[in-house]
Amino acid sequence: MEKEEKKIVNTGEEDEMEIYGYNRCHWKLVLVAIGVLCTGGFLLLLLYWMPEWRVRATCKRTTLKDCEVVLLRTTDEFRIWFCAKIRIVRSLGDNPLQNPQSIEDKVSNGHSGHSCESPAEENRNDPNKYSPIRYFTHHSVMYFWNDAVQSFDFKKGLDESTSCSSIHNEHSKGLTKEVHDYRKVFYGVNEIAVKVPSIFKLLIKEVLNPFYIFQLFSVILWITDEYYYYALAIVIMSVISIVSSLYTIRKQYIMLHDMVAAHSIVRVSVSRANQEIEEILSTDLVPGDIMVIPSNGTIMPCDAVLVSGTCIVNESMLTGESVPVTKTNLPNPAEDPKAMGDEIYSPEVHKRHTLFCGTNVIQTRFYTGERVKAIVVRTGFSTSKGQLVRSILYPKPTDFKLYRDAYMFLLFLVLVAGVGFLYTVVNSILNEVPAHIIIIESLDIITITVPPALPAAMTAGIVYAQRRLKKIGIFCISPQRINICGQLNLVCFDKTGTLTEDGLDLWGIQRVENARFLFPEERACNESLVKSQFVACMATCHSLTKIEGVLSGDPLDLKMFEAIGWILEEATEEETALHNRIMPTVVRPPKQLLPESKPATNQEMASYEIGIVRQFPFSSALQRMCVVARVLGEKRMDAFMKGAPEVIASLCKQETVPVDFETILEDYTKQGFRVIALAHRKLESKLSWHKVQNINRDAIESNMDFMGLIIMQNKLKQETPAVLEDLHKANIRTVMVTGDNMLTAISVARDCGMILPQDKVIIAEALPPKDGRVARINWHYADTLTKCTNSSPAINSQDIPIKLVHESLEDLQLTKYHFAMNGKSFAVILEHFQDLVPKLVLHGTVFARMAPDQKTQLVEALQNVDYYVGMCGDGANDCGALKKAHGGISLSELEASVASPFTSRTPSISCVPNLIREGRAALITSFCVFKFMALYSIIQYFSVTLLYSILSNLGDFQFLFIDLAIILVVVFTMSLNPAWKELVAQRPPSGLISGQLLCSVLSQIITCLGFQTIGFIWVKQQPWYEPWTTQSDACNLSAATNTSSSQHENETLHDEHNIKNYENTTVFFISSFQYLIVAIVFSKGKPFRQPCYRNVLFVISVIVIYIFTLFIMLYPVESIDRVLELVCVPYEWRITILIIIIINAIVSLLVENILLDMILWKVVFSRDKQGEYRLTIPQPPQEPLDRWRGCVLSSLFGCRKKIPKAKYMHLAQELLVDPEWPPKPRTTTEAKDPTQENGSYPIITVT
């Protein structure tokens, strides 16, 4: 058997997988077929559930080049297996972006695209031309065999390794029909197909779930044992569960299908190689096709890069912001001699020139006779929208300790069942029980120990929580995440639109004249400034457009333009067609701003208007935008620029930038203002309109004159400080992740209480390696930034945060220092200072100028130190982080929010504490239900085991009464407790296997088993006790028994399972009350849920069941006794059972609420407010006796003081005693020298 080394597909990507090749093996298939027959089909089910077993059991290992089946395994922590069948397609070549020789020959011979034969006809005529290409499909992506790497990979479009110049030169001519058909073989149909599975297919998939298979096994067993009623009840429950599950799954599929299918197939015009325009269906598009964008707009069916013209696009589907964005054509490096080299095209880098799939093109602008064209770069599931849909169709499994522990606990129950199974078999053999009864009863013990209703019971709390969230306007597409939200201990917030109001208000302007700042002015809308370059810049430097007569665009641009009160006019399509070029957008002041004193000037001013000739859209990478404009009647054009003040100042002549620029800017940003700088310059007269259309923006954006600042106010939302205070009280860390200026972000963080007034802020300014110097981080203290240049180098000891030895982590979280950094520094730290990342994120509070992918990286970094991370954003640029976080909450209801597990209808962060409260309530409910179901299993298991010892069992209707009347009613009502009204500092435990929960369950098991055993043994000691027969009457021992022989025969026939006896009746009554006792004991309220007495349905249910059970025990009704197969016992024994039950209840309540909650936890577990172990802090010497007592208790419960489990707690503990942390002001940390391994970071004090 030929082996080969392990291969990887999608290397370095999120869906990276190992791949192995296999071929079918006939003798293995025969063995599996025999195994399936011998196991009655169970082996087939096992192989269906385990893909790797299926492949290994039926195939033999081979090389990938020759395989028929591939086995895939994800490389993440889940290590999930998939298998796929190799298929073959015939093609002229193996690289879709390189034309095969046969097509090249045809084109060179002058064959037109339309005279060729179809591929099918050509295949018949000359089959030797076509070579077989092997591929497989996984998660809607096709992977083709690649000889070069000797592995499979998926074919990229023009979005990788394609230069900008080749897009213009090689790909802008269009495809011939032959090339189009050739490429379609590899890229397939351009459609994001979300197939809605048939009900039958969904039903089969649902029914083959291990849980339902186990239920089917249980039902067959019960029917065999003549437990018809209980079996029927379980069947009805299962059918209801399956139907509701099918309805929910199908509804989600239909919703996603409708969202995608609404615009998946449209008719589009494409430009062919012979310049002919052909109309085709969008499903036929392939990368390289040139799509003609219609003037009235369209919904994009693919990702395409603009090569001519301009488009106005609504990208709400991707970004969550329903704001029109201007897309311009991709610059051609060949046409601009000053261009910075030939860069590789990337949809993310060049997103201002890329039209994304699913976005709505509202308008186009174009030259006369030249259409707006875009080259298709990605199709189908490879598009940005396709990737979003794939992430919904194939989500990553939820990794949460609760679910892992649940499986461990089920395994424990199976082991317990195994012990019961062996006991039953041995006991039955010793008592010479018939073989068929041994088999039935021993298997029955397994169905008792592992309750079939467990999964339904576990999801009840989540379903109720989801309903309550819906009532307060929070929608959830991933219900399993609700439990995880109960563990959140850190929440990242976007700033604009999340912590602060969405819109900005113009606070004022501060102009510059002769390189000096003038006094701030409140209004820019006045007569004296109408013709100033400052107002001209405000009027022209924006991306606003009119859509159906309404001015729309970026909110900042809108506020700026509204502040000057000017009028914007755009050319109509008819006007554009009449001219030889694009008609410029024109802006002009309103008539009321024109001075009325001088008629001559009035005439001159009346015609004052500015045309916007060329626009370079805002780029988040460049942090600026620029326009070229011409005042009507002027010969020379003007360039206006606006953007981040630091960037604008660096592009201006230094003599025009005021000396106190940095001081003024810092004053504004510290007050939390959003500051925009403006600049201007006159362009050379030789620059014609045509030259401007092709010039590179770098040629325009240099040697500008600095004009001043626009100061915008971004007010905090009213609820923000109160919500953040609630989170801080609950010891939930808050972090700000924003695209705004760092000092503005720090100011907002202080204003909203994220950083307390007395706290120090340390700014980490990381610089990449340059000119032979290694990467380094300069540490500045935010409040001393301005002092650095003037003050003496001596460091004031008061500037350094004091480190106190805290008793527990929650005190530590109220840190005296916070780190702040921008996106550039964060990128350098991630690359060159990996060891510092955990330390920085432990106290990092402000992350400014962060790109979308950096937000995701930050969430990952926080998760790597064991934080449970929540992310709250408005959907714009937050999609990746919302998906990555444990609990992502989108404040936008637009389509982008589909990536987020939670969406809030109201754009307010008050949804965050509400979600955490509901998450905690759902999590505690899950624990309560799991504990209750575990006790239910063990109590019933022990009852049956005790009765098996006398060859008896519980009756059919006794099982029915316990499982339906008690268990189901209690489980589904105990889950209804609403969340506690406020967040508390304590956090619920994250897993079932914790000291607290195990002690609780074990103590109740011991209590219940003890009292059951007492009842079982004590009844045999009673003077009236005798082995029960049909003639027995313990209630009336002196009375003669007169029964007809027929009645005697019927009863004997009815009781062939020996159900009627005194032990059965005693155990039944004690166990029935025990279920209710543990339900009350485990139904805890505060601090995470409302008290159980507030849960009206639960209280009523428990009271009704208590009264009914008490009534049939103390005052037996013959008809009820007959149905439940109970026997009559003396009244004194009934009172004795009641006393046993009362003592049982008192002991259970005392053990749970006093011994465990009040004494044991405080002595042994020392739980802090977060429900975690305290940090190990040096303690004063103990007295020998105290120390001995503590050691005994600790070792008894296996809970010694130890290193905290969470990495961030362990790290916080280490940093408490680290003399070098936090870094001191005005110091530098340099990266390790690559030649020195395991070297430490040198700290250099700057003097």
Side-chain angles (χ1 to χ4, degrees):
M1 183 172 65
E2 191 179 353
K3 298 256 180 173
E4 63 168 330
E5 72 279 6
K6 181 171 63 181
K7 298 281 187 181
I8 302 288
V9 291
N10 303 329
T11 308
E13 295 185 28
E14 194 178 358
D15 53 353
E16 183 182 88
M17 294 176 291
E18 297 167 5
I19 182 168
Y20 307 93
Y22 285 85
N23 277 343
R24 285 187 187 83
C25 178
H26 296 297
W27 65 266
K28 282 188 175 184
L29 281 167
V30 171
L31 283 179
V32 167
I34 294 166
V36 169
L37 290 171
C38 293
T39 57
F42 181 71
L43 179 60
L44 196 64
L45 275 172
L46 198 62
L47 296 180
Y48 169 77
W49 295 328
M50 312 289 282
E52 76 277 22
W53 290 12
R54 181 166 75 247
V55 172
R56 285 171 180 166
T58 57
C59 303
K60 60 180 180 182
R61 185 78 186 275
T62 186
T63 58
L64 282 175
K65 190 174 184 180
D66 307 313
C67 67
E68 297 171 354
V69 176
V70 289
L71 193 58
L72 304 156
R73 181 168 69 169
T74 59
T75 56
D76 56 17
E77 67 272 25
F78 303 106
R79 314 287 282 176
I80 301 168
W81 291 93
F82 301 96
C83 66
K85 186 181 175 184
I86 298 294
R87 300 179 187 279
I88 291 175
V89 66
R90 302 192 75 80
S91 174
L92 291 167
D94 59 1
N95 188 337
L97 298 180
Q98 284 181 0
N99 296 342
Q101 193 59 43
S102 58
I103 292 181
E104 293 286 352
D105 294 342
K106 246 187 195 189
V107 173
S108 62
N109 291 338
H111 286 273
S112 73
H114 292 284
S115 63
C116 72
E117 301 159 310
S118 72
E121 289 169 356
E122 203 161 331
N123 191 10
R124 279 198 302 271
N125 294 342
D126 190 2
N128 296 328
K129 279 187 182 180
Y130 288 81
S131 55
I133 306 289
R134 302 166 69 251
Y135 76 97
F136 68 89
T137 304
H138 173 68
H139 284 180
S140 303
V141 173
M142 292 166 73
Y143 294 83
F144 288 86
W145 176 253
N146 185 338
D147 258 331
V149 293
Q150 287 293 296
S151 182
F152 289 89
D153 62 7
F154 75 94
K155 299 298 181 188
K156 296 262 185 179
L158 301 181
D159 56 318
E160 195 172 274
S161 308
T162 308
S163 66
C164 293
S165 59
S166 70
I167 282 180
H168 278 282
N169 302 333
E170 296 168 26
H171 298 285
S172 61
K173 296 167 186 172
L175 303 179
T176 62
K177 193 76 171 63
E178 293 94 338
V179 174
H180 174 273
D181 291 342
Y182 167 64
R183 287 190 182 180
K184 197 173 177 187
V185 169
F186 293 93
Y187 295 113
V189 176
N190 172 37
E191 187 180 17
I192 302 168
V194 179
K195 292 177 183 173
V196 179
S198 66
I199 292 174
F200 178 74
K201 196 173 179 182
L202 283 174
L203 179 67
I204 295 296
K205 193 175 179 183
E206 190 72 14
V207 167
L208 291 181
N209 184 302
F211 160 63
Y212 289 118
I213 294 297
F214 179 67
Q215 279 199 334
L216 180 66
F217 162 74
S218 305
V219 166
I220 292 168
L221 189 68
W222 294 326
I223 289 170
T224 310
D225 206 17
E226 297 176 13
Y227 293 159
Y228 300 118
Y229 297 105
Y230 184 52
L232 182 65
I234 290 293
V235 166
I236 291 167
M237 277 170 47
S238 299
V239 167
I240 291 168
S241 173
I242 288 168
V243 167
S244 64
S245 179
L246 287 183
Y247 173 76
T248 307
I249 294 168
R250 191 168 163 82
K251 187 180 172 186
Q252 286 176 345
Y253 267 112
I254 289 169
M255 189 175 73
L256 188 60
H257 174 268
D258 292 347
M259 184 193 93
V260 173
H263 42 255
S264 63
I265 303 175
V266 292
R267 295 201 75 82
V268 294
S269 299
V270 292
S271 177
R272 291 286 174 223
N274 53 12
Q275 299 302 310
E276 282 185 20
I277 301 298
E278 183 185 352
E279 197 172 88
I280 61 170
L281 284 174
S282 59
T283 49
D284 291 328
L285 288 171
V286 296
D289 268 331
I290 297 178
M291 184 178 164
V292 179
I293 312 294
S295 57
N296 58 349
T298 184
I299 291 173
M300 289 300 295
C302 59
D303 287 354
V305 59
L306 265 179
V307 286
S308 67
T310 305
C311 291
I312 295 160
V313 184
N314 184 334
E315 291 191 323
S316 62
M317 195 287 299
L318 285 180
T319 64
E321 283 186 345
S322 189
V323 171
V325 179
T326 303
K327 302 278 185 171
T328 57
N329 59 304
L330 183 74
N332 187 353
E335 290 183 8
D336 187 8
K338 294 182 182 177
M340 296 283 291
D342 187 10
E343 58 183 327
I344 299 297
Y345 166 74
S346 162
E348 283 68 42
V349 175
H350 299 95
K351 62 182 178 183
R352 283 289 174 180
H353 315 293
T354 306
L355 304 172
F356 293 102
C357 179
T359 58
N360 187 6
V361 178
I362 303 164
Q363 286 180 3
T364 60
R365 295 178 185 170
F366 52 91
Y367 305 97
T368 304
E370 190 171 335
R371 298 178 175 87
V372 177
K373 292 179 181 178
I375 297 175
V376 177
V377 291
R378 295 187 295 205
T379 57
F381 279 99
S382 299
T383 62
S384 47
K385 183 174 182 179
Q387 288 164 12
L388 182 66
V389 172
R390 275 183 72 217
S391 69
I392 299 164
L393 282 174
Y394 313 107
K396 268 197 167 186
T398 309
D399 182 34
F400 189 38
K401 198 169 183 296
L402 171 68
Y403 304 125
R404 294 200 303 272
D405 288 356
Y407 287 119
M408 292 291 289
F409 203 85
L410 279 174
L411 191 63
F412 166 73
L413 289 179
V414 169
L415 291 174
V416 171
V419 173
F421 178 87
L422 291 173
Y423 166 77
T424 308
V425 171
V426 172
N427 185 59
S428 300
I429 290 169
L430 291 174
N431 287 282
E432 298 177 358
V433 176
H436 74 281
I437 292 177
I438 294 177
I439 293 167
I440 289 169
E441 290 191 343
S442 54
L443 289 174
D444 194 28
I445 203 89
I446 296 171
T447 66
I448 288 166
T449 318
V450 184
L454 182 63
M458 286 290 287
T459 54
I462 296 171
V463 171
Y464 296 144
Q466 194 175 359
R467 252 185 231 163
R468 289 195 295 270
L469 285 171
K470 197 172 180 180
K471 280 181 186 173
I472 55 174
I474 301 171
F475 297 94
C476 172
I477 62 166
S478 179
Q480 297 300 326
R481 296 271 185 140
I482 296 174
N483 269 344
I484 300 176
C485 288
Q487 278 294 307
L488 296 184
N489 52 6
L490 184 147
V491 183
C492 298
F493 291 97
D494 183 34
K495 183 179 78 72
T496 310
T498 304
L499 296 173
T500 60
E501 296 288 352
D502 212 358
L504 293 157
D505 296 319
L506 186 76
W507 180 84
I509 60 172
Q510 190 157 7
R511 294 184 296 129
V512 167
E513 281 186 8
N514 302 321
R516 299 179 75 172
F517 276 113
L518 304 178
F519 286 110
E521 299 163 78
E522 193 177 332
R523 293 175 71 247
C525 181
N526 59 56
E527 291 180 18
S528 61
L529 296 176
V530 170
K531 288 191 79 173
S532 68
Q533 298 289 9
F534 193 94
V535 169
C537 185
M538 290 176 73
T540 56
C541 200
H542 53 70
S543 56
L544 301 178
T545 186
K546 276 195 171 176
I547 297 169
E548 295 178 359
V550 178
L551 202 63
S552 56
D554 186 89
L556 186 146
D557 288 348
L558 271 171
K559 284 285 180 187
M560 185 180 75
F561 193 76
E562 285 167 4
I564 56 172
W566 281 39
I567 297 159
L568 180 139
E569 287 181 354
E570 288 182 329
T572 62
E573 283 184 41
E574 292 77 15
E575 288 173 323
T576 307
L578 290 170
H579 292 74
N580 205 21
R581 61 180 188 225
I582 299 175
M583 275 287 286
T585 298
V586 171
V587 290
R588 64 166 185 269
K591 289 179 181 176
Q592 57 265 34
L593 281 181
L594 305 176
E596 296 174 4
S597 52
K598 295 179 184 176
T601 312
N602 195 24
Q603 182 64 36
E604 182 187 324
M605 293 291 281
S607 60
Y608 181 71
E609 59 182 43
I610 306 171
I612 301 168
V613 177
R614 175 89 193 271
Q615 185 187 94
F616 297 98
F618 176 79
S619 161
S620 52
L622 300 174
Q623 297 179 16
R624 63 181 183 270
M625 80 165 290
C626 177
V627 294
V628 175
R630 193 204 305 250
V631 178
L632 191 68
E634 294 271 341
K635 287 184 179 178
R636 290 169 69 183
M637 297 186 196
D638 298 273
F640 295 106
M641 182 167 64
K642 81 168 196 296
E646 309 93 328
V647 175
I648 300 298
S650 69
L651 296 169
C652 291
K653 299 175 200 163
Q654 283 310 299
E655 60 270 21
T656 65
V657 180
V659 180
D660 57 350
F661 163 74
E662 287 183 6
T663 312
I664 297 285
L665 175 62
E666 194 178 323
D667 285 345
Y668 283 127
T669 51
K670 276 187 178 178
Q671 294 174 61
F673 290 114
R674 175 95 178 261
V675 184
I676 307 292
L678 305 183
H680 159 261
R681 82 174 168 102
K682 278 277 184 193
L683 296 178
E684 299 82 1
S685 54
K686 64 179 181 180
L687 272 178
S688 65
W689 182 91
H690 184 73
K691 282 182 181 176
V692 166
Q693 294 307 316
N694 297 308
I695 199 167
N696 187 281
R697 72 186 293 169
D698 294 337
I700 301 285
E701 296 171 340
S702 58
N703 292 319
M704 309 286 277
D705 295 330
F706 192 81
M707 289 201 297
L709 306 171
I710 298 173
I711 301 101
M712 313 288 281
Q713 196 170 18
N714 193 197
K715 294 173 185 171
L716 273 179
K717 285 185 179 176
Q718 197 173 350
E719 68 277 4
T720 296
V723 169
L724 294 184
E725 189 182 356
D726 287 347
L727 293 174
H728 287 160
K729 281 179 183 173
N731 284 327
I732 295 168
R733 255 189 75 192
T734 52
V735 171
M736 187 189 295
V737 192
T738 178
D740 207 343
N741 174 283
M742 184 156 58
L743 292 176
T744 303
I746 292 170
S747 167
V748 171
R750 285 199 184 279
D751 291 346
C752 67
M754 201 175 271
I755 298 174
L756 298 175
Q758 68 272 20
D759 292 356
K760 295 286 179 187
V761 178
I762 306 168
I763 294 175
E765 182 198 3
L767 303 170
K770 193 178 180 183
D771 301 330
R773 294 190 65 180
V774 293
R776 62 190 189 279
I777 306 173
N778 297 325
W779 307 99
H780 310 290
Y781 280 43
D783 302 324
T784 58
L785 269 180
T786 48
K787 301 174 193 171
C788 289
T789 48
N790 324 344
S791 61
S792 63
I795 294 169
N796 185 351
S797 61
Q798 290 181 347
D799 286 343
I800 302 169
I802 301 163
K803 268 197 295 194
L804 302 173
V805 177
H806 307 290
E807 282 196 7
S808 58
L809 185 66
E810 70 271 10
D811 299 324
L812 188 72
Q813 285 199 333
L814 300 171
T815 46
K816 302 295 177 191
Y817 63 99
H818 304 259
F819 287 112
M821 67 193 77
N822 60 26
K824 286 179 182 174
S825 295
F826 183 69
V828 172
I829 291 166
L830 275 184
E831 188 177 351
H832 299 284
F833 297 89
Q834 276 289 335
D835 294 356
L836 285 183
V837 172
K839 293 182 181 182
L840 289 171
V841 296
L842 185 69
H843 293 295
T845 302
V846 174
F847 295 85
R849 298 281 191 228
M850 295 285 275
D853 59 326
Q854 289 178 324
K855 291 183 180 183
T856 310
Q857 288 167 351
L858 174 63
V859 169
E860 279 181 6
L862 289 163
Q863 288 172 336
N864 287 341
V865 289
D866 293 344
Y867 274 113
Y868 282 96
V869 183
M871 173 73 199
C872 183
D874 57 3
N877 302 324
D878 298 323
C879 279
L882 288 169
K883 276 168 60 183
K884 190 72 189 171
H886 290 107
I889 315 158
S890 169
L891 303 185
S892 161
E893 283 194 81
L894 294 160
E895 283 183 66
S897 66
V898 91
S900 174
F902 301 94
T903 305
S904 174
R905 184 184 286 163
T906 51
S908 157
I909 64 164
S910 57
C911 64
V912 174
N914 288 336
L915 177 62
I916 296 173
R917 282 190 308 106
E918 288 297 348
R920 288 179 172 187
L923 186 56
I924 288 299
T925 299
S926 293
F927 289 141
C928 291
V929 168
F930 211 99
K931 284 158 70 178
F932 175 71
M933 292 301 282
L935 259 295
Y936 150 59
S937 292
I938 299 297
I939 290 169
Q940 195 170 80
Y941 166 77
F942 199 69
S943 301
V944 171
T945 307
L946 284 174
L947 294 173
Y948 274 3
S949 69
I950 59 164
L951 302 182
S952 180
N953 198 353
L954 290 172
D956 192 4
F957 280 98
Q958 288 176 348
F959 275 123
L960 207 61
F961 176 75
I962 291 168
D963 290 352
L964 296 187
I966 300 179
I967 303 303
L968 281 187
V969 171
V970 167
V971 158
F972 289 113
T973 54
M974 81 187 294
S975 304
L976 284 167
N977 285 35
W980 186 246
K981 55 193 173 216
E982 59 190 35
L983 276 177
V984 292
Q986 187 178 342
R987 269 197 306 130
S990 60
L992 286 164
I993 303 173
S994 64
Q996 177 185 354
L997 288 168
L998 287 179
C999 275
S1000 173
V1001 170
L1002 286 171
S1003 62
Q1004 294 302 325
I1005 286 174
I1006 293 164
T1007 306
C1008 291
L1009 299 196
F1011 283 100
Q1012 262 198 60
T1013 309
I1014 289 168
F1016 182 77
I1017 295 169
W1018 200 0
V1019 72
K1020 293 180 179 181
Q1021 313 301 321
Q1022 299 306 306
W1024 47 264
Y1025 175 81
E1026 63 177 14
W1028 192 87
T1029 64
T1030 49
Q1031 287 83 27
S1032 299
D1033 188 359
C1035 298
N1036 189 8
L1037 292 171
S1038 59
T1041 307
N1042 297 311
T1043 34
S1044 65
S1045 60
S1046 61
Q1047 187 181 350
H1048 174 79
E1049 282 169 17
N1050 286 340
E1051 290 205 19
T1052 309
L1053 181 70
H1054 182 71
D1055 198 28
E1056 66 176 289
H1057 294 293
N1058 186 27
I1059 301 240
K1060 287 191 170 185
N1061 53 62
Y1062 300 122
E1063 292 93 333
N1064 171 289
T1065 301
T1066 303
V1067 167
F1068 170 74
F1069 281 126
I1070 292 175
S1071 65
S1072 294
F1073 280 104
Q1074 282 180 337
Y1075 299 126
L1076 296 170
I1077 290 164
V1078 293
I1080 292 166
V1081 166
F1082 288 153
S1083 220
K1084 291 181 179 176
K1086 196 175 175 183
F1088 305 117
R1089 304 196 305 167
Q1090 298 278 7
C1092 63
Y1093 60 77
R1094 294 273 182 91
N1095 185 346
V1096 180
L1097 273 174
F1098 175 69
V1099 172
I1100 292 170
S1101 303
V1102 169
I1103 290 172
V1104 168
I1105 297 166
Y1106 255 121
I1107 291 170
F1108 177 77
T1109 314
L1110 204 60
F1111 176 75
I1112 64 171
M1113 186 179 82
L1114 296 178
Y1115 302 99
V1117 179
E1118 190 183 346
S1119 57
I1120 294 174
D1121 280 1
R1122 194 183 307 118
V1123 170
L1124 290 175
E1125 299 178 77
L1126 300 172
V1127 298
C1128 192
V1129 293
Y1131 190 75
E1132 296 78 16
W1133 181 242
R1134 295 173 191 274
I1135 297 299
T1136 307
I1137 292 174
L1138 182 61
I1139 291 166
I1140 290 172
I1141 289 160
I1142 290 168
I1143 297 170
N1144 185 347
I1146 292 167
V1147 170
S1148 290
L1149 286 165
L1150 287 175
V1151 165
E1152 182 73 18
N1153 295 316
I1154 294 176
L1155 181 66
L1156 295 183
D1157 281 0
M1158 295 178 69
I1159 299 170
L1160 195 62
W1161 300 135
K1162 289 180 182 177
V1163 174
V1164 180
F1165 291 100
S1166 292
R1167 293 181 304 168
D1168 63 20
K1169 291 179 185 176
Q1170 285 199 334
E1172 305 277 2
Y1173 296 113
R1174 284 183 185 275
L1175 295 176
T1176 307
I1177 304 298
Q1179 298 291 333
Q1182 293 177 303
E1183 290 296 320
L1185 185 66
D1186 292 342
R1187 190 164 63 244
W1188 178 84
R1189 187 176 66 234
C1191 287
V1192 170
L1193 283 168
S1194 293
S1195 58
L1196 181 65
F1197 290 95
C1199 193
R1200 297 177 187 279
K1201 279 195 175 179
K1202 55 184 176 182
I1203 295 168
K1205 289 182 181 177
K1207 288 178 190 171
Y1208 70 89
M1209 296 175 75
H1210 177 55
L1211 187 62
Q1213 187 179 345
E1214 284 182 350
L1215 293 181
L1216 280 175
V1217 292
D1218 185 348
E1220 297 295 329
W1221 199 263
K1224 295 176 177 57
R1226 298 186 290 284
T1227 58
T1228 297
T1229 302
E1230 289 190 348
K1232 293 173 186 171
D1233 189 330
T1235 57
Q1236 295 177 350
E1237 289 188 16
N1238 304 320
S1240 59
Y1241 293 103
I1243 308 292
I1244 302 162
T1245 304
V1246 178
T1247 56

